[in-house]
Amino acid sequence: MAYFHYRCGERITLLNDSCTAVRNDSEFDHGIVVSAEPLVNDVLFEIKIDRKVNSWSGSLVIGVTECDPMHLEFPPCASKLQSGSWIMAGNCVLKDGILLVERYGIDLDKLSQDDRVGLMRTSEGDLIFYINGDSQGVAVEGMPSVLYAVVDLYGKCVQVTITSPTAREHNNDDCLSGSSVLGIDNDILNVTLGGDLSELSLSSSNSLDIRMDMNISLSLPEEAPRPDKLRFHERCGSLVKLSNGQRTAERRRPLDEFNNGVVMTHRPLRDSELFEIRIDRLVDKWSGSIEMGITTHNPSTLMFPATMTNMRSGTIMMSGCGILTNGKGTRREYGDFNLDELSEGDRVGMMRKPDGNLHYFINGLDQGVAATRVPTTVWGVIDLYGMTIKVSIVERDEREEQNLMTRRNARDQQVSLPDPHPLPDYYDRLTFHHNCGTHAEVINNGRTAHRPNAIDDFNNGVVLTSRPLKPGEMFEVRLDRIVSKWAGSIEIGVTTHSPTDLEFPFTMTNVRSGTWMMTGSGIMHNGTTVLEQYGVNLDRLQVSDRVGLVRKENGNLHFFVNGIDQGIAASNVAERVYGVIDLYGQAVAATIVDAMDYESPDTINSSMSNTTLYSDLRFHHVHGKNARIVNNGLTAIRPRALAEFNDGIVFSSRPLRDGELFEVTLDSMVDRWSGSIELGVTAVRPDDIDLPSTATDLSRDTWMLSGSSVMENGTTIKSNYSLDLDTLSAGIRVGVMRSADKNLEFFKDGIAQGVACVIANPNIYAVVDLYGQCAQVSIPCASPMAPLSTAQIDTCPRSDTSQSLQAPSVVQHAVETDLHRFLETHTKGLALTEGGRVAVRARDVQHCVAYSATPLAQDEIFEVAVVSLVVHIAGSLSIGVTPSIPNPPTNTLPADCCYLTGNELHWKGKLIQLFAPNLNWLRIGDRIGFLLTHEGSLKTFINGEEIALIFPQLPESLHVVVELGGSCSSVQVTSRKVPTSPLTNAPLQDSLEIVLETENSSEVPVASEEHVSLENTASSVSSGVKYEFHENHGRNIEITGDKTIARRVASYNQGLVIVQPALHVNQLMQIVVDQLDTRWQSSLMCGIVCGAPERLNLPGTALAFKGCSCIIANDWVSINGVKSRSNYGIKLNSLNIGSKIALMLNENGVQMFVDGNGDEVLPWSPNAGQPCYAVFDLYGQCQQLKIINEIEDETSTTSSTQDCEKADLESCEKERSSIASLSLQLPTTSYSSITNSIPKISPLTPSRSIPCPYQVACEKFKKSLFLPDDFFTTDDPVCYCASCFKFKRHETDVYKDDFIQGWVKFPLRNFSNLQTDKWHIAYYGTKLSTIRCILDRGQPLTKNQMQYSNLIGQRADDVQVVFSPSLEHCNIEHFKLDNGKIVWAAFQILVKPGAYSLSRDVPEWSTKETGALTLHALLLKMH
């Protein structure tokens, strides 16, 4: 391949296999490079300008020379070349420095970065220059046959790269004759050279450079592999720890030892190879810092000294600002920098040039010649001395170097930068401080502390938290590892000493001031035992046991063991204390645990939608030291953006799903640094990553886009990607998504930029690096309301406020002012978002009380839904009503309020009633609300079902009050105010009266009104058009049934279908949902698009349409690809099989009908002259659609009429004729609906249109238990009452057990995902009070657990579950209702064959094996 010769200008550094040349931009000349091989006739030699600076005048110069590079004398600039050279400078051509052509081609000085310049010698001997691929014409004729390309990086031009190198081909004879250059590297090629080499001269003046220990073959490969990257040798100083593939070195015990930190490269350095390291961590304790140099000693045999400056042979080191050779100073002042004054992030490098000179580089700047006549075989050496405790080998990065120099210049010039207001981190997690005991070490981003040499030592393991504990904050650690060699174990407590001031003792119990410690089973204060027998003995803890503490607001100190409070250990504890653990004796490692360890999902098993529109994505609590997470986890910011440019890595809070777009908006940019945001993904959990300063240094399972380069584990795998992140400005959105095909794509403003790479790893997290100019980004789509969308929460269960049931002439548009909200005045433990609709609890679990902004209105429900839970905390929210709001609000519920907590109703602090269900069982998405009737009575609803409560006499004016306690961490108001309309000011009219009033009214409702009935609309717009699906559809779609049925056959997306012909104004198009697949989330999307269907490029989902379009997704609307509004109409995610959706285009916009109920008209204007087509997206749950054509309906009506008896036909005709006289038809009296609804009843199958009364009664009772629907399948209940039982003899479970007669079966979901087809059926009797416990656990209870209705057995060995093969022998306790009815409950379970034992005395089975049982159905029986 074409490459530059290693002989070049003195300010040039060659990179990228000598295909890239970089000039030190501190000077403007001495930047000449020459091609290593002569030009080939008619083959273009071309370079690209990679980087330009504005510090100088002049620019790139290019040309040719007939002088061999080995004998060329390099002048300061190419225009001074002599002895046969032709140079293009500006727009002139020079020969041997004399003007030959005055005006030729485009001026090279006007070229920009990324422009290309090339030249070619033709076979006719002409020299032609090319600019961006365009020929500039013949510059010179009659050129010599052997020419070398010359490039001068002059003035503004500081970096160029050969664009399209060709294969390097060599002829053996030519090589041996010296007419061409053969560069052979013993680490690249494996060759065997035959013949006698004794005649070859191997001096530096020859073009043939062959190592005699090589095995040389003249059959050269087409392209040599890249040389192995430098890394540190496995043999190193006694205190050095290597990591990151041996490219990172760290000195252990940095606060106790300052030397024994020597590391060396794993192989000798090559000529012109840059060996560069980055300083990762410094400590401010010792004098002196990093030392760097070379040595001729092989690390495999070297006895490593305490410091490398002690070596007395073969060693050259830079220490401070001087050069030491064999331990003696040879240059007192060298270069412009002192190594002892470097900061974290600064880079130090060195290079041995082919002429034997040694150069050092500080942040990319060449410091000149440090030593001459350096031996050819040398290893790189780093001494982690004094302040320097951690370094990493890095590749050269011009952006980083320029930023480092900018930062240093600002510090040297003492530029005054504004100190931003300190931002509290949204997560603010507790971490360990890196200052710790001499035998301890903090790892895992400060979350874990351990004793690396636990076998050799048992003390000096004290570790403190990095910040003081907050009042009421739990400091808890999990014991990760223990050894049995020593006595004693972990000790935990608090201290007033900070980790930066404490002189760390052997054990923390030796500290004599400001310290409270739990050791063993006792409590010690300032080294003195104050409680001998306090709680569980910590010396008996095992791996995975947890121990923690809380200092409460009253100054009391409590310790916890495995979450159990051990009681008050001390009182009057100082307010500002740090958490402290002592890894003593057996305790080797411990990790801090907190709520995030329970809340943060690390898998993609989430109930959230597959689109970012309902995304629960936030930024992860793990982030770089210069980053902060604010705005409820939605915004990442680099606060000191003008002072620091790196250490700003952030991650997504959970893995991304396939097809899920992770997108951020660039909020803030600073024009100070080079480079900008970097975006990508990683397959490593953020908690397991030791964060580097930049994301491109992530070296394990990470793919990043940096600038326009796609990088894998820090190595570029694709250049010139279509998206260049360094060119973006504020306000632009960038995103990343992995498709179902495992292709990774990047997005700009929602538009895909093409496949970047393929990633097969199962779970990937998004990675964002707030680098350089990028100072702040935000996730635009996430919202605290996200769980509500997926939970399908109705905004109001009351029929009198439901928009779908109101008269068309009186329904009002729901605007933002119609929403219920919380009062802005609330307690300090809460934060309100979404305009007061969402209440979020802060870190503390106390003082979290919110009030409704307005009092309850008559016949108006105020309802809240649970948004998030912290599952490891007991209890839940309390909610009630109060006649007055304290001002200022108190930290607890008002004394005069009446509220619900658990399953208790309290009034004025006293228990007045017990009820079911228990509020502690509430889940995410569950709703609870209060309704004040016009009679003045108060009613309570849970998920739309009224619960039986008797409230005391309360005042007329009542506010709702909510306290977020226990596991409930946030709630959202889901209800709306009752609109002011005739429906609320007067009694509701009968539907027939409304119809008659409409008929008699002189004013006809217009199409723009919000709700109209589908029948009324259809009567005026019928056209007889037959619709069908177009041939252009999503790749996962199959069209059948005369092109009227569309079915998705794979995945959850790529399900777009277009309906033809085009829609006309006031023309209705209708479909019906045939199949749903509940495995997925979200559902059908529909809308209208403009343009010819055959020309539309269909995206993965309808939301990706960017042209003229109007798309409805669930309850929000996208106009022309931009989200325009939320809370629109009926939620499409709640559609059922048989639901009908219709679309109509009218003069004012688009209108959607769901099951005959019309939503408001969406204002939308199609492009003039373009046809409009209905489009449907079979997304998520929506599996199959069918078009309903009016022609087919008429045909089916006719055929149905022929099947009617004469009397029935006359009745139908009379009824239809009476209805036809009305201007607004009633859906219930439509003739077609009557004929279509006649079921075909089999003599062996009971009619589903008339449900069994006994089944209805059991379903009503089950609903009163308030069991979440998530536990049950979507299958209908099965009734085995006396009348239904005789029709179900064919069922397997009935065939085996006739005693199922009288029960109703409610099928349950199989959450275990086990194959149970061949498992045995059995029955387990239960009490009503334990049904929810069993469903939550997913397993039946043992006998003792059933006795106490609790999940905790009375004995440790109580694990046996007893059940029966028949309901006849089940021990079932009945429950008597208030109305005198008796109820029994049981579970039908499936048992793994061979996993249970049989009793000899009674027909009873039992098992102790975990996972041998799975719940199959809930059985209820009433008498």
Side-chain angles (χ1 to χ4, degrees), residues 519-716:
T519 171
S521 59
I523 302 296
M524 298 186 71
H525 175 42
N526 298 336
T528 303
T529 301
V530 293
L531 284 176
E532 291 187 357
Q533 296 297 327
Y534 166 68
V536 175
N537 194 332
L538 300 186
D539 297 343
R540 298 177 182 176
L541 297 184
Q542 300 299 315
V543 172
S544 77
D545 283 337
R546 293 174 289 113
V547 57
L549 58 86
V550 170
R551 182 204 173 273
K552 299 196 173 181
E553 289 186 344
N554 57 9
N556 292 340
L557 182 64
H558 292 243
F559 289 91
F560 295 77
V561 177
N562 290 325
I564 300 176
D565 192 348
Q566 305 297 298
I568 298 177
S571 57
N572 298 321
V573 176
E575 182 175 357
R576 182 182 175 84
V577 290
Y578 292 81
V580 56
I581 63 170
D582 192 346
L583 297 175
Y584 182 82
Q586 297 180 0
V588 176
T591 298
I592 298 177
V593 293
D594 56 23
M596 294 300 166
D597 296 302
Y598 300 95
E599 286 185 302
S600 296
D602 287 321
T603 68
I604 59 175
N605 298 325
S606 173
S607 63
M608 306 309 298
S609 167
N610 282 324
T611 65
T612 57
L613 301 169
Y614 309 124
S615 176
D616 58 337
L617 282 171
R618 300 289 189 272
F619 288 115
H620 203 278
H621 53 78
V622 173
H623 54 73
K625 65 181 182 181
N626 288 335
R628 295 292 181 272
I629 306 300
V630 297
N631 186 24
N632 292 325
L634 298 177
T635 300
I637 186 172
R638 208 174 73 236
R640 304 183 69 246
L642 295 177
E644 300 291 344
F645 64 89
N646 54 7
D647 284 307
I649 300 176
V650 293
F651 302 90
S652 61
S653 57
R654 61 162 174 81
L656 304 181
R657 306 178 186 91
D658 288 349
E660 179 180 27
L661 176 64
F662 176 83
E663 193 174 50
V664 296
T665 301
L666 304 185
D667 295 335
S668 176
M669 309 287 283
V670 292
D671 189 15
R672 184 180 183 87
W673 314 100
S674 294
S676 187
I677 184 174
E678 296 176 348
L679 179 66
V681 295
T682 180
V684 186
R685 293 177 65 249
D687 296 281
D688 299 333
I689 297 177
D690 188 10
L691 291 179
S693 60
T694 62
T696 51
D697 289 335
L698 292 170
S699 58
R700 181 160 63 102
D701 295 335
T702 302
W703 296 261
M704 298 296 301
L705 178 62
S706 176
S708 60
S709 299
V710 180
M711 308 182 75
E712 178 180 0
N713 300 330
T715 302
T716 300

Side-chain angles (χ1 to χ4, degrees), residues 1100-1379:
T1101 69
L1103 302 174
F1105 275 118
K1106 298 303 178 184
C1108 185
S1109 61
C1110 176
I1111 303 297
I1112 304 170
N1114 194 23
D1115 65 341
W1116 68 273
V1117 181
S1118 172
I1119 302 294
N1120 302 334
V1122 180
K1123 181 177 179 180
S1124 62
R1125 62 169 295 179
S1126 300
N1127 300 320
Y1128 168 74
I1130 300 173
K1131 296 185 178 180
L1132 295 182
N1133 286 358
S1134 61
L1135 296 178
N1136 300 314
I1137 295 177
S1139 295
K1140 297 180 180 179
I1141 300 92
L1143 293 173
M1144 185 176 71
L1145 183 67
N1146 59 32
E1147 295 83 359
N1148 300 308
V1150 179
Q1151 189 169 17
M1152 180 181 70
F1153 301 82
V1154 178
D1155 291 331
N1157 297 313
D1159 289 317
E1160 66 173 303
V1161 176
L1162 291 171
W1164 177 71
S1165 299
N1167 291 337
Q1170 282 192 328
C1172 297
Y1173 292 84
V1175 61
F1176 296 88
D1177 190 351
L1178 284 74
Y1179 186 87
Q1181 294 183 357
C1182 184
Q1183 193 80 8
Q1184 181 170 310
L1185 298 178
K1186 180 180 179 181
I1187 296 176
I1188 301 176
N1189 281 314
E1190 185 180 354
I1191 298 176
E1192 295 175 356
D1193 291 342
E1194 293 175 355
T1195 304
S1196 63
T1197 302
T1198 305
S1199 61
S1200 300
T1201 304
Q1202 295 173 357
D1203 295 334
C1204 291
E1205 295 291 340
K1206 182 178 180 180
D1208 296 333
L1209 181 60
E1210 292 176 356
S1211 175
C1212 292
E1213 288 294 339
K1214 290 178 181 179
E1215 192 170 3
R1216 183 173 62 174
S1217 62
S1218 64
I1219 295 172
S1221 63
L1222 300 178
S1223 62
L1224 180 62
Q1225 297 181 7
L1226 294 177
T1228 57
T1229 57
S1230 170
Y1231 175 77
S1232 62
S1233 65
I1234 292 176
T1235 56
N1236 288 333
S1237 63
I1238 298 177
K1240 295 182 180 180
I1241 304 175
S1242 170
L1244 297 178
T1245 306
S1247 173
R1248 296 176 64 92
S1249 61
I1250 306 177
C1252 173
Y1254 179 75
Q1255 176 180 335
V1256 172
C1258 289
E1259 289 182 8
K1260 184 176 180 181
F1261 176 74
K1262 170 191 167 283
K1263 188 175 291 187
S1264 69
L1265 297 177
F1266 296 96
L1267 301 175
D1269 293 337
D1270 292 344
F1271 290 122
F1272 299 90
T1273 67
T1274 56
D1275 299 335
D1276 293 330
V1278 182
C1279 180
Y1280 297 111
C1281 67
S1283 58
C1284 299
F1285 181 71
K1286 58 183 178 180
F1287 299 110
K1288 296 185 171 63
R1289 288 287 184 179
H1290 62 282
E1291 295 188 7
T1292 304
D1293 49 358
V1294 177
Y1295 174 76
K1296 288 187 176 182
D1297 189 9
D1298 284 345
F1299 290 92
I1300 200 173
Q1301 181 176 348
W1303 294 83
V1304 175
K1305 174 182 173 183
F1306 299 91
L1308 295 171
R1309 291 179 183 265
N1310 181 8
F1311 290 103
S1312 60
N1313 293 323
L1314 297 174
Q1315 294 295 332
T1316 58
D1317 297 338
K1318 298 183 179 180
W1319 286 26
H1320 298 166
I1321 295 177
Y1323 298 91
Y1324 175 85
T1326 179
K1327 297 185 291 187
L1328 290 180
S1329 59
T1330 59
I1331 291 178
R1332 180 61 187 267
C1333 295
I1334 293 172
L1335 290 175
D1336 279 321
R1337 188 187 188 200
Q1339 291 287 309
L1341 304 180
T1342 66
K1343 283 187 175 181
N1344 285 342
Q1345 290 172 343
M1346 177 64 71
Q1347 178 181 356
Y1348 295 96
S1349 299
N1350 200 301
L1351 296 180
I1352 301 176
Q1354 303 305 303
R1355 302 190 309 272
D1357 58 349
D1358 182 25
V1359 295
Q1360 186 180 44
V1361 178
V1362 179
F1363 44 94
S1364 174
S1366 171
L1367 281 168
E1368 177 186 7
H1369 305 287
C1370 280
N1371 182 18
I1372 307 175
E1373 295 185 17
H1374 68 272
F1375 182 83
K1376 189 173 183 180
L1377 303 178
D1378 294 337
N1379 57 9

Side-chain angles (χ1 to χ4, degrees), residues 109-129:
D109 293 342
K110 297 180 180 180
L111 297 184
S112 304
Q113 192 167 297
D114 295 330
D115 282 339
R116 294 173 288 113
V117 183
L119 53 85
M120 178 196 299
R121 184 193 183 278
T122 66
S123 55
E124 290 79 18
D126 298 334
L127 177 63
I128 303 175
F129 291 92

